[in-house]
Amino acid sequence: MLLPAHRRKKSGRLEVGAVADVIWRGSHDGGDDNYLISGGADKKVVVSDVRMGRPLHSMKGAKDFVYAMACYGDAIFVGTGDGMILCHDLKRGKNSLLWGLGGTSMGAVRALAAVPSQRALVSAGDDGKAVVWKFPA
């Protein structure tokens, strides 16, 4: 199945954006949904319904390339080329940006991992550091 999530028409031409990361969010994660979440060079995070075979909505807010993503419940964390970590609400759709924070002291956030058992998010990037972000209980 092909999900053309990062395509758009510009000046009558079809442009395709590079996809840097994907997440499968399925019923095994505690919900009854089957989503493919993708992020890429077009600075968007696109949520697609796999059963319907089409994008549901795109999440904006990144000012640079989306390099990494992680899911924690209904939160989607996005690591970007300008060193930011953005948090979106999966269920809210287009206006889903909840907050953002500086993820690296320089360069891009290249990797994100959610660790629900530790109530944490781990980020790493061009500054050579791995940071553990703890969530309140």
Side-chain angles (χ1 to χ4, degrees):
M1 172 183 299
L2 175 65
L3 293 168
H6 295 269
R7 297 177 183 209
R8 68 180 179 145
K9 282 196 173 185
K10 185 175 182 181
S11 302
R13 294 186 16 230
L14 182 66
E15 291 185 348
V16 179
V19 175
D21 200 5
V22 293
I23 297 171
W24 178 278
R25 166 91 189 255
S27 55
H28 65 278
D29 295 315
D32 59 357
D33 47 349
N34 277 296
Y35 298 138
L36 178 69
I37 305 161
S38 57
D42 58 1
K43 306 173 191 171
K44 292 190 301 187
V45 173
V46 177
V47 178
S48 298
D49 186 306
V50 177
R51 290 183 188 136
M52 293 189 311
R54 66 175 179 83
L56 295 175
H57 52 264
S58 61
M59 302 171 175
K60 298 179 181 173
K63 293 183 171 76
D64 204 337
F65 198 108
V66 173
Y67 281 104
M69 298 183 304
C71 269
Y72 186 105
D74 285 338
I76 301 171
F77 295 95
V78 179
T80 65
D82 61 356
M84 294 296 293
I85 297 173
L86 306 175
C87 179
H88 289 274
D89 184 330
L90 175 65
K91 302 291 185 182
R92 286 175 68 184
K94 288 185 178 184
N95 298 315
S96 65
L97 183 61
L98 300 175
W99 51 263
L101 57 89
T104 65
S105 58
M106 58 183 236
V109 175
R110 304 273 181 177
L112 289 172
V115 190
S117 65
Q118 299 297 311
R119 300 179 87 93
L121 177 74
V122 181
S123 65
D126 289 347
D127 63 358
K129 299 174 187 171
V131 179
V132 178
W133 306 88
K134 297 292 270 185
F135 297 110

